[in-house]
Amino acid sequence: MKKIILTACIISLILSCKNGTKKKVESSQNQIAMTTLEQETTEIEKQQIHALINTLFTAVDTRAWEAVKETMADSVYTDYSALGGAMGFKTPSEILSDWKTLLPGFERTIHQVHNTAIWVADNRATATMDAIATHYLNRDQWTVFVGYDTEYIKEDNQWKLARIDVSLYDQNGNKELPIKALKNVEDGAIPKFEESNTETLETVEEFFIALEQQNLTDLLAVLDKNIVQRMPLAPSNFPKELSGIEAIRKQYTDVMDYTQSYTQEYFGTQDPNTILAKYEGTITTTDGKPYNNSYVGIYTVANGKITEFVELFNPNILLSGWPGLQPEHFSVHDAGASADSGVTQENVVFDNEGILLKGHLFKPPNFNSTQKYPAAVVTGSWTSVKEQMPDEYASVLAKDGFITLTFDFTGFGESEGQPRQVEDYQLKIQDIKAAVDFMVSLENVDSNNLSGLGVCASSGYMAHATAKDTRIKKLILVAPWLHNAEIAKTIYDFRPGGTKGLLQAAKEAKLKYAETGKMDYVLAASELDPLSAMYVPENIFDYYLNPSKAAGKYYDNRFAVTSWEPWLTFDGISIGQEISQPVFIVHSESGAVPQGTKQFYDLLTGEKAIRWLNDFNQQQLYFEADAVNAAMKEVINYLKG
């Protein structure tokens, strides 16, 4: 069983219990038992929210408007500005009134929702998901590939949708089709749902059976010799069109070696020769790698043969799972180094007092195993994971000749440690020390040229680690959030209960965890809940919520309530006077707490330099390519200067 790691404050609380060792053993047993119970309870909550999501989109596509309404809270914040819509709070009736002016004007709408990540904190939850939304009318289609950022409130033991924001990734087809649909509704010309034509359906079914049976002969037999397969959402390094039976034969020959199974749902159109399919594929390639994508297909049949089909799927899943392909960048955003830059990434594991920390080790292009390289440990903002800004900055630095390490802190991401999501500076400083231990153990790392690079909140942690560990030869801070208790009070006194209330909540949560093993959580980021760690109403700072920025399967959008005490009392500024190593800072006046950075900088007594990139804000310095590249240009020039 994995070792349970407690914050220093929780440990001291347990040690103070009157019944000594027996009490500590009982408490530890409670913590393990409650961790398992919490996981089971959370999983049930996630299943309920997942069912709500499926109900919502299925009901939209079948125009079961009362069922749609039942999924919603009394007031829902919607943001469809990415698709030209409005943003703001609306009642369910107002939302449905808007949707009814458009969606019934199509013959069919199909929402293929997938890649769902759900995070629950008490009676609040957030979920992100990708979706292929196809709108079909008169043998024409308009499809949007989008990300949904949603939030839920539990009322009367029922989860309800409270917010839905849309991010547009890509679109394809006739962008004028919505105008025709609006006109249909306005004129009362609502297309009725048609059943699938039996012969057309049987032909398409034969196609899927041939795929599952890995039978290329049978598959080609149901295709017209002039067949055209279009894949408009495919990435640039994958064919967007296959024209003719020989092109299909060439493409599918290797595919027939893959084990495949599909679940399909079919939808008829007013053209009996055309049907739509919503399906998911579970595929295992010849190298044993899973490739599981979600699709919307449009199939046209004549004389028992498929003459054309449009296959719409998630290109990011293709890049991550298809043999011979890889994601375009070493991060979830375009800001990371490109995968064809020559940089290589390895998954690594290292130990911090019995806890296994998972990381990414980046090596420079043309890596020579007999050579030593300058190196850096790279860490990110509070609550973040390695796949966010750490991988972006580390991969860019690796491109310029450095060996770099990113990792998930104890209790975060893929790393071990319980309880989860505890923002405790003492633990994180210890983790950085363990990362340094790991780096200096690598034979290709030049231990005399090892830097620590902290982004945002981890700048303070990296500064403390540098002051205590002379193996870190240079300290680099990018968009640093540097605060002390005084600055924290000016920020958090505006929250419900103020700083005092948050500290009291942390105290109570620590006691509860010590006695029962149950940790209290709030959402790490929320547009609706002022008790969340980052309350960001009306998209003022949506980095942690937006699936096109940082949200998704890697990020756990929860914050342990015990974290308020170490966070609000942490001093990342005065440590500056204890740092003897050279320090280089890149920040923006419109970034986070620049006054803290200035105070820290003034306390530095050794070699130091600072660059202000005032064209960018804090969020841009997390993930936008232009901002990251501008910051890293300054950093690399400094390190190589």
Side-chain angles (χ1 to χ4, degrees):
M1 180 173 292
K2 294 178 180 179
K3 181 180 175 182
I4 302 296
I5 289 294
L6 309 178
T7 66
C9 294
I10 295 173
I11 292 174
S12 65
L13 183 58
I14 295 174
L15 291 175
S16 67
C17 293
K18 295 181 179 179
N19 294 330
T21 302
K22 179 180 178 182
K23 184 67 176 180
K24 287 188 288 182
V25 171
E26 291 174 351
S27 178
S28 179
Q29 291 171 341
N30 283 339
Q31 289 154 3
I32 295 171
M34 286 305 299
T35 296
T36 302
L37 179 61
E38 280 184 275
Q39 291 172 344
E40 293 174 351
T41 302
T42 299
E43 190 57 37
I44 292 172
E45 303 280 9
K46 288 183 177 182
Q47 291 173 4
Q48 293 173 350
I49 294 170
H50 204 282
L52 182 149
I53 293 168
N54 289 337
T55 297
L56 168 65
F57 287 104
T58 299
V60 166
D61 289 337
T62 58
R63 303 173 196 164
W65 302 118
E66 284 304 312
V68 174
K69 191 174 182 178
E70 283 300 310
T71 66
M72 298 181 179
D74 292 339
S75 179
V76 180
Y77 186 86
T78 64
D79 184 352
Y80 276 76
S81 57
L83 297 175
M87 55 194 299
F89 285 97
K90 293 184 178 181
T91 66
S93 295
E94 289 171 333
I95 294 171
L96 293 184
S97 178
D98 291 341
W99 291 356
K100 287 178 182 179
T101 65
L102 173 65
L103 299 182
F106 296 103
E107 286 180 53
R108 292 284 186 180
T109 60
I110 300 177
H111 287 82
Q112 173 60 283
V113 179
H114 56 285
N115 262 5
T116 303
I118 302 170
W119 305 108
V120 179
D122 195 27
N123 65 344
R124 298 274 184 163
T126 60
T128 61
M129 63 213 78
D130 293 333
I132 300 163
T134 296
H135 309 74
Y136 187 85
L137 178 63
N138 298 336
R139 302 180 183 179
D140 207 353
Q141 62 90 16
W142 170 59
T143 296
V144 291
F145 175 36
V146 298
Y148 287 107
D149 163 25
T150 57
E151 198 158 342
Y152 307 83
I153 298 175
K154 196 170 189 179
E155 299 174 339
D156 299 326
N157 210 36
Q158 293 289 323
W159 287 103
K160 297 288 185 179
L161 177 72
R163 181 176 60 83
I164 181 167
D165 292 357
V166 181
S167 299
L168 178 63
Y169 302 148
D170 197 2
Q171 60 180 312
N172 171 262
N174 186 354
K175 298 177 184 179
E176 302 300 316
L177 214 58
I179 297 175
K180 296 180 180 180
L182 286 167
K183 188 69 165 56
N184 282 344
V185 175
E186 183 180 331
D187 294 344
I190 307 298
K192 68 175 183 178
F193 291 146
E194 298 287 350
E195 295 293 328
S196 298
N197 176 273
T198 301
E199 293 180 357
T200 301
L201 180 59
E202 288 176 350
T203 300
V204 176
E205 281 276 56
E206 289 176 14
F207 174 80
F208 279 103
I209 290 171
L211 282 173
E212 291 185 323
Q213 293 181 349
Q214 300 170 258
N215 191 321
L216 181 60
T217 300
D218 286 355
L219 183 141
L220 296 175
V222 299
L223 304 180
D224 184 83
K225 67 177 182 179
N226 296 316
I227 175 74
V228 176
Q229 177 183 350
R230 294 188 174 89
M231 296 165 282
L233 297 180
S236 59
N237 55 350
F238 196 82
K240 289 184 177 288
E241 181 174 304
L242 301 172
S243 183
I245 197 76
E246 288 307 314
I248 296 287
R249 184 194 304 274
K250 182 179 179 181
Q251 179 71 17
Y252 279 76
T253 295
D254 290 339
V255 175
M256 289 300 104
D257 292 331
Y258 303 161
T259 304
Q260 306 176 56
S261 64
Y262 296 89
T263 57
Q264 308 102 274
E265 184 178 1
Y266 297 107
F267 307 87
T269 70
Q270 292 182 351
D271 176 7
N273 296 318
T274 301
I275 64 171
L276 280 62
K278 175 182 177 181
Y279 55 103
E280 295 181 347
T282 301
I283 298 174
T284 303
T285 63
T286 51
D287 59 2
K289 189 175 182 180
Y291 170 66
N292 307 320
N293 214 328
S294 299
Y295 310 78
V296 174
I298 304 172
Y299 297 84
T300 301
V301 175
N303 301 317
K305 304 282 189 178
I306 298 174
T307 60
E308 178 182 7
F309 75 95
V310 179
E311 189 176 57
L312 301 146
F313 51 79
N314 188 322
N316 298 324
I317 295 176
L318 181 79
L319 288 172
S320 298
W322 196 260
L325 298 182
Q326 59 183 347
E328 295 181 357
H329 295 85
F330 286 107
S331 70
V332 294
H333 311 117
D334 293 347
S338 62
D340 61 2
S341 63
V343 172
T344 57
Q345 175 189 316
E346 297 178 10
N347 295 327
V348 296
V349 180
F350 57 95
D351 177 273
N352 180 15
E353 297 183 357
I355 295 298
L356 296 181
L357 304 181
K358 304 292 182 69
H360 291 158
L361 187 71
F362 296 92
K363 294 180 179 179
N366 304 312
F367 176 75
N368 185 340
S369 61
T370 66
Q371 181 180 332
K372 288 188 177 293
Y373 293 85
V377 175
V378 182
T379 55
S381 63
W382 74 330
T383 79
S384 69
V385 291
K386 61 184 179 299
E387 288 80 7
Q388 294 167 339
M389 71 284 289
D391 276 1
E392 287 162 1
Y393 278 89
S395 62
V396 172
L397 191 55
K399 186 178 66 174
D400 279 274
F402 290 75
I403 295 177
T404 56
L405 173 71
T406 67
F407 66 95
D408 291 325
F409 287 105
T410 296
F412 288 83
E414 295 182 305
S415 290
E416 294 181 347
Q418 295 288 347
R420 308 297 292 175
Q421 307 305 120
V422 176
E423 190 69 33
D424 186 328
Y425 64 88
Q426 295 185 67
L427 272 179
K428 290 197 166 186
I429 294 168
Q430 291 171 9
D431 287 344
I432 292 172
K433 179 182 180 298
V436 173
D437 290 341
F438 172 75
M439 288 293 274
V440 299
S441 73
L442 301 178
E443 61 181 0
N444 295 111
V445 166
D446 180 357
S447 58
N448 292 316
N449 197 354
L450 175 65
S451 300
L453 194 162
V455 181
C456 193
S458 72
S459 292
Y461 310 148
M462 190 64 77
H464 274 261
T466 301
K468 298 175 182 178
D469 193 337
T470 56
R471 294 176 302 172
I472 301 175
K473 303 303 181 183
K474 292 180 181 178
L475 174 64
I476 312 297
L477 306 181
V478 177
W481 173 296
L482 294 168
H483 75 275
N484 54 21
E486 180 182 356
I487 290 177
K489 192 173 188 303
T490 65
I491 296 170
Y492 292 97
D493 267 355
F494 291 96
R495 304 292 291 275
T499 305
K500 183 177 180 181
L502 295 174
L503 289 171
Q504 180 61 30
K507 180 179 179 180
E508 293 171 0
K510 287 182 202 173
L511 181 61
K512 179 178 180 179
Y513 183 77
E515 292 181 345
T516 70
K518 186 178 187 303
M519 175 59 70
D520 286 338
Y521 292 95
V522 293
L523 293 175
S526 169
E527 287 194 16
L528 302 178
D529 185 5
L531 294 178
S532 63
M534 292 174 279
Y535 177 43
V536 287
E538 299 180 359
N539 279 333
I540 60 173
F541 184 77
D542 67 343
Y543 175 79
Y544 298 95
L545 293 168
N546 192 323
S548 69
K549 296 179 182 176
K553 64 180 181 179
Y554 298 111
Y555 181 67
D556 187 338
N557 190 33
R558 297 181 303 157
F559 182 81
V561 175
T562 58
S563 303
W564 283 124
E565 188 274 334
W567 177 252
L568 294 172
T569 59
F570 178 57
D571 184 354
I573 295 176
S574 63
I575 193 67
Q577 59 194 335
E578 299 180 30
I579 296 173
S580 59
Q581 299 95 318
V583 178
F584 183 71
I585 300 174
V586 180
H587 204 4
S588 170
E589 294 279 4
S590 58
V593 288
Q595 70 274 27
T597 295
K598 292 174 183 178
Q599 292 177 29
F600 173 84
Y601 188 77
D602 289 342
L603 292 174
L604 296 170
T605 58
E607 178 187 327
K608 60 183 179 180
I610 190 167
R611 299 287 184 271
W612 294 96
L613 301 180
N614 293 330
D615 290 338
F616 305 107
N617 61 33
Q618 190 77 6
Q619 183 174 215
Q620 290 172 311
L621 286 165
Y622 287 170
F623 80 99
E624 287 191 5
D626 288 347
V628 171
N629 287 334
M632 288 309 295
K633 180 180 179 181
E634 297 287 349
V635 170
I636 291 165
N637 286 342
Y638 172 78
L639 290 175
K640 289 190 171 183

